[in-house]
Structures are given as C-alpha cells and as structure tokens.
Amino acid sequence: MLERRILLCFAALVALDAGFCRTSFAQSQTPAGKSRTTHRHSPSRSPAPTPRTASPVNGRAGTILGPSVPQTEEISVSGAGRHADGTTNTTPGGGLMPVQTAPRSQSGVTRDWIAKQAPSGNISSMIANLPGVVYANQSPLATAGDHITMRGMNESQIGYLFEGAPLADPINYEPYTSMLVDTENLGSVTVSQGAPDLNAPLFNAVGGQISATELNPSHHAGGYLNLLGGTHSAQKEFLRLDTGEIGNTGIRGFASFSYLSNNNWRGPGGLTRYHVDSKFVKEWGQGNSITAIFGFNRQEQTSWREPTAAQWKEYGTSFNYTPNYYPGNSTYYKLNFGNLNSLDVIAPMHFTLAHNLTLNVTPYFVHQNGPSVGGENIPASGGYYGTYQYGNLGQPYAYTNSSGKQMLTTASVDPWNQKTGAVNTSVDWTAGKNTLSFGYWYSYTTHEELSTFSVVDPSGKAANSYGRYPIVVNGVGILSGYNLNFMQQVNALYLADSLRLLNDKLVVSAGFRAAMVYRQGTNDVPGSDPYKKTGNYFEPLPQFAVSYQITPQDQVYMNGTTSFRAPESVEAYSQIFDPNSSHAVEQPGSLKSEYTIAEELGYRHTDKLFNFQMSLFNINLTNHQVTSSGYIPNTNMLISEPINVGGMTSRGVQGELGLKPWHHFSPYISAQYLHSTMDNNIPASGINAAGQSVIDYLPTAGKNSVGAPHFTFSAALAYDDNKAFFGNFSLRYIGSQYSTFMNDQRMPGYVVSDITLGYRFPHVRYLKGPKIQLNLVNVGNNLYRSAPGSFAATAQTRKGIYGSTISGGSPVYLVGGNFAALVSLSTGF
C-alpha cells in the first residue's frame, strides 16, 4: 500500500513537471509576432465540479483534472427542452446514458429519464439503474432515506455535490437528497463510481462522487405546474414561475414551491414536506456568469421500525410502531419521528480574466436542523444524568412497570443544529497544450446537539410540545444523554496539470491535493470522559489519468487515484449516556481516517446508434469504517456507529449499453460484478475461561465484505414517439448481501420493476405541453428487505482466535417499499 502511494505521488509530480516544462519551452521557442495555438475554455452557465468534456467527434478526450465544466446535458426550463417537462428524447437508453469522456468510470441521467420517474423521488432514486449503484428504499414513493452503496461503500463514503457545493451533512455525511431539490427542477445527475474530482470540495468520497445540477432558468416568462395523487394517500402540488429575461439586465430566474404528503405504506404515520427552490442567473461577455441558488425544506417523517431476520420472519411487514398509546408504550408512532429542515444558498461565479485565464468562485451556506424524536421509558427516580444519580424528578404521569419500579414514558428529543459556511475557488490557465489549475477550499462548520426528555401525558402527547419543556434535574441541569458542541474547519489546496498530445488524441493529467481537517468536540454531560476531544487530519492525495482517443468513436483510459474520509459522526468523538444506565452506553469510535488507492482501466464507444462503456477496477482501502446504525439501549433512538474493520479490497468489472431511439424505442442495460473482501481479523468483546471480559479476534480475513452484493443488473426500455405517447419499463436485480463480518447471516437478493405510461395532449391555449403520467412502482408488489440497516460481528456465538466466547448479534434490516400507483397531471404555461 505504501509503495503504491509513493509511486502514485511520484507519477503525478513527474507528469506535472514534464508537462509544464514542455509548455514553457514551446512558448520560449515561439518567434516574435507569431501567434500561438491556445484552447479557450468557456465556463458553463450552470457549473458543477465535474471533469471537462470534449466531443468525441473532434477526437479530444476529457480529463479528470481540468476545469469544472459539466459532463452531462444542460437543459434550461423551456428553451432547450422539446417538451414542457424538459425532455428531448435524444439521450441513449431513454436518458440513462449520456455521452461521457472523462478518463474514469462515469455514468449519468438526464431529463429524458428524470421527468418520467415518480415526481416524489429524489436524486438517489433517479440513479438506481446505473452500473454499480445499489439503491435501497423504504418507501415506494422514494421519500425516505438515501441508502446507496457503490463498490462495497455506502452513501457516507460517497461525495454528493449539488451545483458544485457539498450539501450533505459534513460530519456524518448523510446526503439528505430529498431536502435538496424537487425532481421537477432537477436537470441532470452524474455518477463517478470510483473517484472524486480532484477539485471537488469533499473529504469523504472514498467510494466515488454524485453530482447533480438544477435546471437553468428559461429565457421566457412562464411556468410549470404538476399535480400528483396516488396510493398511500400520496399527493404533491408543484408550481414553478419563470421571470424570463428581466428587462435589459441579462438576469433571468425562477422560483418554485411544492407540498408533498403521504401515509406510511406500513404502520401508522406518514410524511409532510414543504419545499422551495429558486435559481437566478446573470451572464455577460464570454464565459462570465453569476448564479444565485436558494433552497428551503421543512419536512416531518414518521420513523420506520427495522426488523431483525427473526422479526422479519415472524412479523413481516407488520413489525411497526403502534397506532395507540398506553402508559409505558414507547413504540407509539407519535413519539417516533424525524424532522429534516434546511436552508441552502449557493452562488457559483465564473469569470474570464483573459483569453486563456479563468476564475471560478463558489461560496455557499448550509443550515440543517432537527429534531429527531424517539420514545423511551426512564426511571422516575434513581436514574442517571451522565454518571450523576438523580433523585425524584417530580414529574407527573408516572406508572409502575412489571418490576414494580416507577417509570416515566418520555419523548427523547434530539434537536441537532448545524451551520456551514464555505468557499471553493480555482484558477485555470491554458498555455499551449497545457492547462494548469490551482484551487483552494475553505469550510467552517458548527454543530450543536442537546438531547432532552419530555414527559408524555395519558393521551400520548409530550407535555406541551416536543422539547420545549424538558425535564430538569434540580441543581444540575436539563436531563440529557449528550450535550454536544462540535466545530470543524477544513482547508484544502490542489494543483493539477493536463497535457494534450498527438493532435489532442492523447491526454495526460496529473494533480496533487492536500486536505487538512480539524475537529473539536465537547460533551457537557456530568461525568463525560473525555469532556473534550480533538482530531487533526492531513492527507496527501495524488491523482493520475491517461486517455487516448483511438478513433472519433472509441476511447480507452486508465487512472490511479487516492481519496480519504475523516471519521464519521459526532459519536466518534463523544460518549453517549442514558438515564437507565450508570455509565456511558456508547463510547467514542475509531478516530482514524479511511484512505483509498484505486486503479481503473476502461473503454468507451459512442456512435449514432449506441453508447457502450466497460471498466475494470481495483480498490484498496485502509481503516475501513463500516457505518452501522444502532439503537441506544432501551430506546428507539438510532445513532450512527462507525466500526473500524481494518483493510478492504474490492475488485470487479462494470459495464453499460444504451441505444439511441430506434423506431421510438431506447433500450438500456447495465451490470456489475464485485468481489469485495476484508483484509484483517476484527476485534470483538469476549468472555474468557475465567469469566473475564476480554478483547479477542474473529477470523474475518478473506471473508466477503458486508453490504456488497457480488452481482447487480439493471435493464430498461423506453418508448417515446415525440408526439403523444411515452413510457418506460425498468428492472433491477440486487444480489444477496452479508450483514455479519463472519458471513453467517445474509439478506437474500431481490428484483424490483417499475413502469411509466404517459400521454401528451395537444397544445391548449395558454398551456404548453399538458400531459398525464402514470407511475407504477414495484409492479410485482415484492415484499423484501432492501438493505442491512446495521451489522454484527457474528450471528452465532462462537470461539474467538484466542479461545474466548464471543456472543452472536442480530443485525436489523431496511424493508423495501411495496406497490404504489401515482398519477400526475402537468403542463407548462
């Protein structure tokens, strides 16, 4: 591993030095008065930090390290789209396979696919059919969760970018894509399955990168209306208004509002969501633009209970929170829900300083806050606030449990509050055959999280309102399991160079990035040890890529990349306490950062009939932090539990094929074979022959990685006559996945299929492109477990390597959504 890391650094530095020296020499040899050949690059109007593109027609291949220009189609609200919903019916595979040229595994979706999916979906659900993407839902409407894995790594190990800004939680890395954008405003999504952009403002993307862009505002005043209704009492109202060109200012924009609600398909409760999107653009000169993007989200979702294998076998889809309350019933559904609230502001700016010099600046601000709420029964007296034992809390509505102890049913409230301010800048200089890029990213995050308890009255309602009147321990403070104050500061520098040779057919790119992350966390609960914990992370991250355009239609590439991820979640730095325990129920996790070295070898073909691409990949990961969610003992509160399992090796092959419309049909297939294994034996708590608790090891080296199916497959068939009728069919197969490190329990594979049927009406006065669309989700009503929700060392009690007895555990699982039928009516105006 160390040797490969050194060689990669050396290769990057040599390429940088050789390429730039060659350019400097060429410039010095140019006679006075003679013009030099330069390549001007105009920044995109709707930027995202994806690699530079180049048309295969002119023989130029893209680069992994160049200026930030989007890789997929850019569609404005009405100008470029043939239909009111932005579809053009030109992308191969029905919108699942736009042209890619970057020298790495990369796929995408465009409006041709997005507009025909259920309008209740999110960014993650839109890319479920792409190669190597394992998407697991809990709701057929795709409103709950973003559980994704790629090449054996989950969403917390994948970098999410929206319009060039990382809007995922910067500490636990959850993307929360349902908060980011309405799918009616989503322009395109690009998935890099193995490596992030060198200039991307990310420090967790060891498993790849997902970049999404919003539609560009129309040049003409108007709007778009979409109304949805369907099973599970689903309804959505969406309205977008476009300003068009505002006078002679060159400014145009849009603002939209939506309301979405539905009932849970299993168990009581449901979701309500209010969302606002806005985007304004000012363009002038050649390649100059300023964009202002605003997003607001407020939603509440009843939580889902996650069954173990035994509970799934016994109860199936009936394992849910209960609809009725009685004293002591902490599983009452109104005590178990989560709020996701966010405010996002992004302002990408692009300036052409000279004919060969550009400046890109993207400041952004993100505010996310809860609360999350879970039911819990706590002692009315004699419980614990940290390590301090309290007396009688003096609260009403106490009941006596089966052990004769006085207890209180409470709503355990976690009102997390997080703010991030940041700016990402880069300068790109083109000189002859070289493009030199330099960039700097700074980010500052604060995070506050004070858990509280509110007493529940006999009707099942928390006293007054959740969290407003928490229980107070006299003379000590608010009763809490954790009182966290967290700060994070990120500095990252990068330098990259791209050299074009052989009439621009050969492109050699190399770069180096230095990322520095500082974290500091405190826990103000009595007895917390340590009270304060810090983490400093510095990682050198070289990248190297070569691509060659064999013919205007055929490209081969290879790359070597590195990336890292700082430890996930504030729980990695702080203890977690509970009133039912005299000591911490959760200890700080591993504070080592993950580091990957990856290589890819790939081939692409693009012509007038079809697109095809295939790649081989190899990934070595050290300090692999497997993310597991676990319940705080005696509660319904889930927390993130990072588990360091040592090294992991993932090797495999992926491919996809998409045909351009032929007699109005566009088929698409994708597949991946993955062989992912653990490199080390993992530590586990055991009991030795003397009855003492000891740390032993389980023989997990060589075992299959958890949550990493060997085989995944997707097929889709789209039909669109460009006039009236359209539709598509898609099918996904996900192979079985292990949920224990000893591979003694696994979740079976499953198949899910969806159908879309639609009809466009003739134009009506004042209406542009009215249509009706029917989305049938999970048409076979397959009831299945969609992904492991937690992991265990072993499901069976067994002997460790040193002879101690290690008890088995019971992983929990996400349950996939059942059948749903959704009808939507939409029109432009």
Side-chain angles (χ1 to χ4, degrees):
M1 177 72 74
L2 178 61
E3 290 79 0
R4 293 168 61 201
R5 190 167 166 180
I6 293 173
L7 285 172
L8 201 54
C9 290
F10 179 74
L13 291 173
V14 168
L16 277 169
D17 181 66
F20 194 71
C21 288
R22 181 191 297 255
T23 301
S24 300
F25 177 77
Q27 290 176 332
S28 66
Q29 297 300 308
T30 304
K34 299 291 183 179
S35 62
R36 293 190 292 269
T37 302
T38 61
H39 302 284
R40 180 171 299 174
H41 304 281
S42 300
S44 167
R45 298 177 179 178
S46 179
T50 51
R52 178 192 312 144
T53 62
S55 169
V57 175
N58 63 16
R60 296 174 63 176
T63 169
I64 199 170
L65 300 167
S68 302
V69 178
Q71 191 71 7
T72 55
E73 299 178 25
E74 288 298 311
I75 300 174
S76 60
V77 173
S78 63
R82 181 173 300 155
H83 303 292
D85 59 7
T87 59
T88 61
N89 196 30
T90 57
T91 308
L96 284 166
M97 201 170 178
V99 174
Q100 308 289 344
T101 58
R104 63 179 176 188
S105 298
Q106 189 159 285
S107 308
V109 297
T110 68
R111 287 299 300 174
D112 287 350
W113 175 260
I114 296 169
K116 296 171 185 176
Q117 305 310 298
S120 58
N122 57 36
I123 292 172
S124 296
S125 66
M126 296 296 146
I127 60 175
N129 289 75
L130 298 183
V133 176
V134 180
Y135 169 71
N137 71 41
Q138 297 186 77
S139 166
L141 278 65
T143 56
D146 285 291
H147 189 86
I148 275 185
T149 62
M150 295 194 309
R151 299 183 179 178
M153 288 170 273
N154 73 2
E155 68 279 356
S156 71
Q157 297 165 296
I158 298 167
Y160 278 75
L161 296 176
F162 180 63
E163 289 286 358
L167 300 192
D169 187 311
I171 301 172
N172 74 8
Y173 310 124
E174 284 293 328
Y176 302 129
T177 63
S178 64
M179 297 198 303
L180 297 184
V181 62
D182 276 312
T183 56
E184 291 89 346
N185 294 328
L186 182 60
S188 64
V189 186
T190 300
V191 178
S192 303
Q193 289 91 343
D197 292 319
L198 188 74
N199 61 346
L202 300 166
F203 58 88
N204 69 305
V206 292
Q209 176 181 304
I210 296 174
S211 303
T213 63
E214 201 166 27
L215 287 170
N216 277 327
S218 172
H219 290 270
H220 306 285
Y224 186 75
L225 174 69
N226 190 21
L227 305 175
L228 174 145
T231 54
H232 313 303
S233 299
Q235 64 171 355
K236 181 179 182 180
E237 296 86 37
F238 171 88
L239 176 64
R240 180 176 63 230
L241 299 175
D242 294 281
T243 66
E245 299 282 356
I246 302 176
N248 296 319
T249 64
I251 300 173
R252 67 187 196 277
F254 71 77
S256 70
F257 171 80
S258 71
Y259 170 77
L260 171 66
S261 68
N262 66 271
N263 292 336
N264 283 354
W265 71 273
R266 62 181 182 95
L271 170 139
T272 57
R273 173 182 180 266
Y274 301 87
H275 187 84
V276 174
D277 286 325
S278 178
K279 183 175 184 179
F280 282 78
V281 177
K282 162 68 177 177
E283 298 171 317
W284 72 96
Q286 184 171 357
N288 298 294
S289 67
I290 296 178
T291 303
I293 299 162
F294 172 85
F296 170 81
N297 191 85
R298 180 182 178 184
Q299 72 183 58
E300 182 175 300
Q301 167 79 60
T302 304
S303 304
W304 307 88
R305 290 193 79 181
E306 300 174 3
T308 64
Q311 290 166 336
W312 173 254
K313 183 177 180 181
E314 181 177 359
Y315 301 105
T317 59
S318 299
F319 185 77
N320 304 308
Y321 289 106
T322 58
N324 301 310
Y325 176 75
Y326 54 86
N329 181 18
S330 63
T331 61
Y332 178 48
Y333 80 100
K334 289 188 177 180
L335 300 180
N336 297 276
F337 63 90
N339 287 66
L340 289 177
N341 307 302
S342 68
L343 173 67
D344 310 319
V345 180
I346 316 170
M349 294 176 280
H350 302 271
F351 306 101
T352 300
L353 305 180
H355 75 280
N356 60 350
L357 185 65
T358 61
L359 171 66
N360 308 297
V361 183
T362 303
Y364 60 92
F365 172 79
V366 183
H367 181 200
Q368 298 177 346
N369 61 286
S372 298
V373 179
E376 181 178 2
N377 297 315
I378 68 171
S381 64
Y384 293 88
Y385 173 27
T387 58
Y388 171 82
Q389 187 172 25
Y390 57 75
N392 194 316
L393 293 174
Q395 298 293 322
Y397 314 125
Y399 73 95
T400 304
N401 66 10
S402 58
S403 301
K405 189 173 183 179
Q406 289 286 295
M407 303 290 290
L408 296 168
T409 300
T410 67
S412 176
V413 184
D414 178 15
W416 54 279
N417 186 30
Q418 184 174 275
K419 298 176 183 178
T420 298
V423 61
N424 188 30
T425 61
S426 66
V427 176
D428 305 313
W429 177 42
T430 300
K433 296 291 185 179
N434 277 83
T435 298
L436 183 68
S437 301
F438 173 76
Y440 172 63
W441 171 43
Y442 176 79
S443 173
Y444 186 86
T445 299
T446 60
H447 179 99
E448 303 160 3
E449 195 168 355
L450 169 63
S451 74
T452 63
F453 297 87
S454 296
V455 176
V456 176
D457 67 21
S459 70
K461 182 179 180 181
N464 294 292
S465 61
Y466 296 100
R468 279 190 64 186
Y469 298 95
I471 296 174
V472 176
V473 178
N474 290 332
V476 183
I478 295 174
L479 180 62
S480 175
Y482 42 93
N483 184 359
L484 309 176
N485 287 276
F486 198 85
M487 182 273 288
Q488 174 179 280
Q489 189 169 222
V490 181
N491 289 271
L493 296 166
Y494 75 87
L495 178 67
D497 184 62
S498 180
L499 174 65
R500 297 176 178 274
L501 301 169
L502 303 180
N503 197 28
D504 291 344
K505 292 183 177 180
L506 176 66
V507 180
V508 181
S509 303
F512 189 86
R513 185 181 190 215
M516 296 152 280
V517 179
Y518 173 76
R519 287 173 168 175
Q520 173 183 297
T522 61
N523 189 351
D524 291 330
V525 170
S528 59
D529 184 20
Y531 156 75
K532 178 180 178 180
K533 203 170 186 67
T534 62
N536 274 293
Y537 309 94
F538 171 79
E539 296 290 351
L541 303 169
Q543 288 191 11
F544 180 75
V546 178
S547 67
Y548 183 73
Q549 203 74 32
I550 305 172
T551 70
Q553 294 79 34
D554 299 280
Q555 178 195 21
V556 293
Y557 64 85
M558 63 178 296
N559 64 63
T561 61
T562 61
S563 54
F564 94 106
R565 185 183 74 153
E568 175 195 358
S569 81
V570 293
E571 286 83 10
Y573 298 82
S574 301
Q575 293 174 312
I576 304 296
F577 294 87
D578 186 80
N580 289 286
S581 176
S582 61
H583 53 77
V585 296
E586 196 72 33
Q587 295 291 341
S590 170
L591 296 184
K592 294 182 178 180
S593 58
E594 292 180 318
Y595 194 94
T596 61
I597 297 180
E599 302 90 16
E600 288 182 325
L601 176 65
Y603 165 77
R604 288 192 184 95
H605 176 83
T606 303
D607 62 26
K608 295 181 179 180
L609 298 177
F610 67 93
N611 290 352
F612 170 77
Q613 60 179 344
M614 183 180 71
S615 62
L616 304 171
F617 58 86
N618 175 67
I619 303 173
N620 290 102
L621 176 62
T622 59
N623 292 315
H624 182 27
Q625 308 283 326
V626 174
T627 303
S628 177
S629 61
Y631 290 99
I632 298 175
N634 306 310
T635 78
N636 295 310
M637 294 293 290
L638 279 169
I639 60 172
S640 177
E641 294 182 311
I643 305 170
N644 191 333
V645 297
M648 183 182 81
T649 300
S650 294
R651 296 187 175 107
V653 57
Q654 70 175 54
E656 59 181 334
L657 171 68
L659 271 64
K660 297 184 178 180
W662 181 75
H663 294 285
H664 309 308
F665 286 96
S666 300
Y668 171 85
I669 59 172
S670 71
Q672 176 181 273
Y673 173 77
L674 173 68
H675 182 65
S676 181
T677 58
M678 300 172 63
D679 296 340
N680 302 99
N681 298 325
I682 66 167
S685 298
I687 304 296
N688 63 15
Q692 300 170 320
S693 179
V694 296
I695 297 297
D696 203 337
Y697 287 82
L698 285 169
T700 55
K703 299 286 186 182
N704 289 286
S705 300
V706 294
H710 281 300
F711 186 68
T712 56
F713 172 80
S714 169
L717 179 64
Y719 175 85
D720 195 327
D721 64 8
N722 274 325
K723 296 178 181 178
F725 294 97
F726 65 90
N728 59 42
F729 169 80
S730 67
L731 178 146
R732 293 182 291 125
Y733 167 75
I734 306 298
S736 62
Q737 304 175 53
Y738 287 105
S739 56
T740 61
F741 302 123
M742 282 298 296
N743 292 173
D744 53 4
Q745 186 174 126
R746 67 178 178 178
M747 185 194 81
Y750 59 89
V751 175
V752 179
S753 56
D754 305 323
I755 293 176
T756 300
L757 300 171
Y759 179 78
R760 300 185 185 97
F761 295 95
H763 283 240
V764 181
R765 188 178 182 184
Y766 304 120
L767 301 181
K768 299 177 181 178
K771 73 171 185 179
I772 183 171
Q773 179 171 304
L774 171 65
N775 289 98
L776 302 176
V777 181
N778 191 1
V779 292
N781 195 30
N782 184 17
L783 302 178
Y784 63 101
R785 289 172 285 169
S786 58
S790 68
F791 304 105
T794 175
Q796 304 172 8
T797 298
R798 61 177 72 239
K799 294 291 184 181
I801 291 176
Y802 298 114
S804 66
T805 301
I806 298 174
S807 299
S810 299
V812 298
Y813 297 88
L814 309 185
V815 178
N818 71 341
F819 170 78
L822 306 171
V823 177
S824 55
L825 296 169
S826 63
T827 184
F829 57 87

